[in-house]
Protein backbone atom coordinates (compact mmCIF):
# COMPACT_ATOMS: atom_id res chain seq x y z
CA UNK A 1 0.00 0.00 0.00
CA UNK A 2 1.02 3.62 -0.33
CA UNK A 3 -0.64 6.95 0.23
CA UNK A 4 -1.83 8.71 -2.89
CA UNK A 5 -1.03 12.44 -2.93
CA UNK A 6 -3.99 14.52 -1.78
CA UNK A 7 -6.26 15.71 -4.57
CA UNK A 8 -8.84 17.53 -2.48
CA UNK A 9 -11.11 14.52 -1.86
CA UNK A 10 -9.59 13.50 1.44
CA UNK A 11 -7.00 10.92 2.34
CA UNK A 12 -6.60 8.22 -0.30
CA UNK A 13 -4.53 5.06 -0.36
CA UNK A 14 -3.64 2.60 -3.09
CA UNK A 15 -3.70 -1.04 -2.12
CA UNK A 16 -2.36 -3.88 -4.25
CA UNK A 17 -3.14 -7.45 -3.29
CA UNK A 18 -1.59 -10.61 -4.71
CA UNK A 19 -1.44 -14.24 -3.73
CA UNK A 20 1.36 -15.06 -1.34
CA UNK A 21 2.42 -18.06 -3.47
CA UNK A 22 2.95 -15.84 -6.52
CA UNK A 23 5.13 -13.42 -4.56
CA UNK A 24 7.12 -16.27 -2.98
CA UNK A 25 7.65 -17.82 -6.42
CA UNK A 26 8.96 -14.51 -7.75
CA UNK A 27 11.29 -14.16 -4.78
CA UNK A 28 12.60 -17.70 -5.33
CA UNK A 29 13.29 -17.04 -9.01
CA UNK A 30 15.19 -13.88 -8.09
CA UNK A 31 17.15 -15.73 -5.42
CA UNK A 32 18.12 -18.54 -7.81
CA UNK A 33 19.19 -15.95 -10.42
CA UNK A 34 21.15 -14.11 -7.71
CA UNK A 35 19.11 -10.95 -8.30
CA UNK A 36 18.03 -8.45 -5.67
CA UNK A 37 14.41 -7.33 -5.93
CA UNK A 38 14.24 -3.73 -4.81
CA UNK A 39 10.54 -3.44 -5.63
CA UNK A 40 7.68 -5.31 -7.22
CA UNK A 41 5.16 -3.44 -9.32
CA UNK A 42 1.84 -4.18 -10.93
CA UNK A 43 1.46 -4.45 -14.71
CA UNK A 44 -1.81 -2.47 -14.77
CA UNK A 45 -0.28 0.36 -12.73
CA UNK A 46 2.68 0.44 -15.10
CA UNK A 47 0.29 0.66 -18.05
CA UNK A 48 -1.44 3.61 -16.40
CA UNK A 49 1.89 5.43 -15.97
CA UNK A 50 2.83 4.81 -19.59
CA UNK A 51 -0.22 6.66 -20.95
CA UNK A 52 0.77 9.90 -19.25
CA UNK A 53 -2.92 10.80 -19.56
CA UNK A 54 -5.26 12.42 -17.03
CA UNK A 55 -8.26 10.31 -18.03
CA UNK A 56 -9.01 7.25 -20.14
CA UNK A 57 -9.36 3.51 -20.29
CA UNK A 58 -6.27 1.33 -20.65
CA UNK A 59 -6.90 -2.10 -22.14
CA UNK A 60 -4.24 -4.79 -22.39
CA UNK A 61 -5.75 -7.74 -24.19
CA UNK A 62 -4.09 -11.07 -24.83
CA UNK A 63 -5.56 -14.32 -26.08
CA UNK A 64 -5.70 -15.69 -22.52
CA UNK A 65 -6.88 -12.64 -20.59
CA UNK A 66 -7.29 -8.93 -20.25
CA UNK A 67 -6.45 -6.08 -17.91
CA UNK A 68 -8.46 -2.87 -17.74
CA UNK A 69 -7.41 0.30 -15.95
CA UNK A 70 -9.83 3.20 -15.63
CA UNK A 71 -7.88 6.45 -15.26
CA UNK A 72 -9.34 9.52 -13.63
CA UNK A 73 -7.38 12.59 -12.52
CA UNK A 74 -4.18 10.91 -13.72
CA UNK A 75 -4.60 7.97 -11.35
CA UNK A 76 -6.00 4.47 -11.64
CA UNK A 77 -9.55 4.66 -10.34
CA UNK A 78 -10.32 1.01 -10.96
CA UNK A 79 -8.26 -1.98 -12.11
CA UNK A 80 -9.73 -5.27 -13.33
CA UNK A 81 -7.97 -8.38 -14.55
CA UNK A 82 -9.50 -11.46 -16.14
CA UNK A 83 -7.94 -14.76 -17.11
CA UNK A 84 -10.08 -16.93 -19.33
CA UNK A 85 -7.76 -19.86 -19.83
CA UNK A 86 -5.16 -21.03 -22.27
CA UNK A 87 -7.52 -22.55 -24.81
CA UNK A 88 -7.48 -20.97 -28.25
CA UNK A 89 -10.53 -18.80 -28.88
CA UNK A 90 -11.68 -17.04 -32.02
CA UNK A 91 -11.44 -13.25 -32.40
CA UNK A 92 -15.22 -12.78 -32.11
CA UNK A 93 -15.32 -14.50 -28.71
CA UNK A 94 -12.21 -12.63 -27.57
CA UNK A 95 -13.72 -9.29 -28.62
CA UNK A 96 -16.94 -10.07 -26.76
CA UNK A 97 -15.04 -10.96 -23.58
CA UNK A 98 -12.85 -7.86 -23.73
CA UNK A 99 -15.82 -5.57 -24.39
CA UNK A 100 -17.81 -7.13 -21.55
CA UNK A 101 -14.94 -6.63 -19.08
CA UNK A 102 -14.36 -3.04 -20.21
CA UNK A 103 -18.05 -2.10 -20.11
CA UNK A 104 -18.51 -3.62 -16.63
CA UNK A 105 -15.33 -1.91 -15.39
CA UNK A 106 -16.37 1.52 -16.64
CA UNK A 107 -19.90 1.09 -15.25
CA UNK A 108 -18.52 0.11 -11.83
CA UNK A 109 -16.13 3.07 -11.86
CA UNK A 110 -18.85 5.49 -12.90
CA UNK A 111 -21.23 4.20 -10.20
CA UNK A 112 -18.72 4.18 -7.34
CA UNK A 113 -15.97 6.74 -7.99
CA UNK A 114 -15.80 9.67 -5.57
CA UNK A 115 -14.23 11.72 -8.38
CA UNK A 116 -17.24 11.21 -10.66
CA UNK A 117 -17.76 9.30 -13.88
CA UNK A 118 -15.50 9.30 -16.91
CA UNK A 119 -16.44 11.70 -19.65
CA UNK A 120 -18.00 10.06 -22.70
CA UNK A 121 -15.08 11.05 -24.90
CA UNK A 122 -12.32 9.66 -22.67
CA UNK A 123 -9.91 7.83 -24.97
CA UNK A 124 -8.93 4.18 -24.84
CA UNK A 125 -5.31 3.10 -24.85
CA UNK A 126 -4.67 -0.34 -26.30
CA UNK A 127 -1.78 -2.67 -25.52
CA UNK A 128 -1.17 -6.38 -25.90
CA UNK A 129 -1.02 -8.84 -28.75
CA UNK A 130 -4.77 -9.15 -29.23
CA UNK A 131 -5.45 -5.43 -29.50
CA UNK A 132 -3.86 -5.13 -32.94
CA UNK A 133 -6.60 -7.30 -34.41
CA UNK A 134 -9.35 -5.89 -32.18
CA UNK A 135 -8.39 -2.22 -31.74
CA UNK A 136 -10.74 -0.55 -34.18
CA UNK A 137 -13.61 -2.89 -33.26
CA UNK A 138 -13.16 -2.13 -29.55
CA UNK A 139 -13.00 1.64 -30.14
CA UNK A 140 -16.07 1.57 -32.38
CA UNK A 141 -18.10 -0.63 -30.00
CA UNK A 142 -17.26 1.58 -27.03
CA UNK A 143 -17.83 4.79 -29.00
CA UNK A 144 -14.55 6.23 -27.75
CA UNK A 145 -11.50 7.55 -29.57
CA UNK A 146 -8.18 5.71 -29.57
CA UNK A 147 -5.63 7.53 -27.45
CA UNK A 148 -1.98 7.89 -28.42
CA UNK A 149 0.60 6.57 -26.00
CA UNK A 150 2.68 9.55 -24.89
CA UNK A 151 5.04 8.55 -22.09
CA UNK A 152 7.07 11.49 -20.76
CA UNK A 153 10.27 10.23 -22.37
CA UNK A 154 12.20 10.93 -25.53
CA UNK A 155 11.87 7.98 -27.89
CA UNK A 156 12.27 7.22 -31.59
CA UNK A 157 9.21 7.76 -33.81
CA UNK A 158 9.13 4.09 -34.83
CA UNK A 159 9.18 2.68 -31.27
CA UNK A 160 6.20 0.30 -30.89
CA UNK A 161 4.77 1.99 -27.80
CA UNK A 162 1.71 -0.25 -27.46
CA UNK A 163 3.94 -3.33 -27.46
CA UNK A 164 6.29 -1.85 -24.85
CA UNK A 165 3.73 0.01 -22.72
CA UNK A 166 4.10 -2.12 -19.59
CA UNK A 167 7.91 -1.98 -19.73
CA UNK A 168 7.86 1.80 -20.26
CA UNK A 169 5.51 2.18 -17.30
CA UNK A 170 7.80 0.07 -15.12
CA UNK A 171 10.77 2.28 -16.09
CA UNK A 172 8.72 5.39 -15.31
CA UNK A 173 8.18 4.19 -11.76
CA UNK A 174 11.79 5.03 -11.05
CA UNK A 175 11.73 8.28 -13.04
CA UNK A 176 8.72 9.71 -11.20
CA UNK A 177 9.98 9.15 -7.65
Amino acid sequence: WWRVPDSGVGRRYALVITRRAALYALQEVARLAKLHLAAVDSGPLALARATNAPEGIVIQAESDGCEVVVLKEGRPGLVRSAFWGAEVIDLETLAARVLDLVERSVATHNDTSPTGPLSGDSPIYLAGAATEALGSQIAQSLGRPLGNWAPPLDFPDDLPLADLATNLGLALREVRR
Side-chain angles (χ1 to χ4, degrees):
W1 67 271
W2 64 94
R3 184 163 182 202
V4 176
D6 190 10
S7 62
V9 293
R11 222 177 261 188
R12 294 177 15 176
Y13 293 88
L15 173 67
V16 177
I17 300 171
T18 188
R19 293 179 184 207
R20 186 178 310 173
L23 193 54
Y24 287 166
L26 178 63
Q27 290 173 327
E28 182 63 9
V29 167
R31 186 187 68 74
L32 293 171
K34 296 184 172 59
L35 298 173
H36 171 72
L37 291 178
V40 176
D41 201 356
S42 150
L45 297 180
L47 286 166
R49 274 193 297 277
T51 66
N52 198 32
E55 186 169 304
I57 304 163
V58 184
I59 304 166
Q60 179 166 358
E62 305 290 346
S63 61
D64 63 351
C66 180
E67 294 182 304
V68 176
V69 182
V70 179
L71 291 172
K72 182 78 175 186
E73 296 180 356
R75 297 185 182 97
L78 182 131
V79 176
R80 287 252 171 96
S81 298
F83 176 71
W84 33 73
E87 79 272 0
V88 177
I89 57 175
D90 60 87
L91 282 178
E92 187 177 320
T93 302
L94 179 60
R97 289 179 180 179
V98 170
L99 287 169
D100 178 61
L101 183 65
V102 172
E103 288 169 345
R104 286 187 296 118
S105 299
V106 171
T108 299
H109 175 273
N110 288 347
D111 290 344
T112 62
S113 175
T115 59
L118 286 178
S119 66
D121 60 349
S122 296
I124 59 173
Y125 298 88
L126 301 173
T131 56
E132 186 173 328
L134 301 175
S136 60
Q137 180 183 355
I138 291 171
Q140 184 178 12
S141 295
L142 295 173
R144 294 179 180 272
L146 287 173
N148 294 317
W149 293 92
L153 300 168
D154 293 328
F155 51 85
D157 292 338
D158 61 344
L159 188 70
L161 294 175
D163 295 338
L164 299 173
T166 301
N167 291 324
L168 289 169
L170 291 171
L172 286 170
R173 181 176 192 264
E174 296 302 318
V175 171
R176 289 194 177 174
R177 282 191 171 191

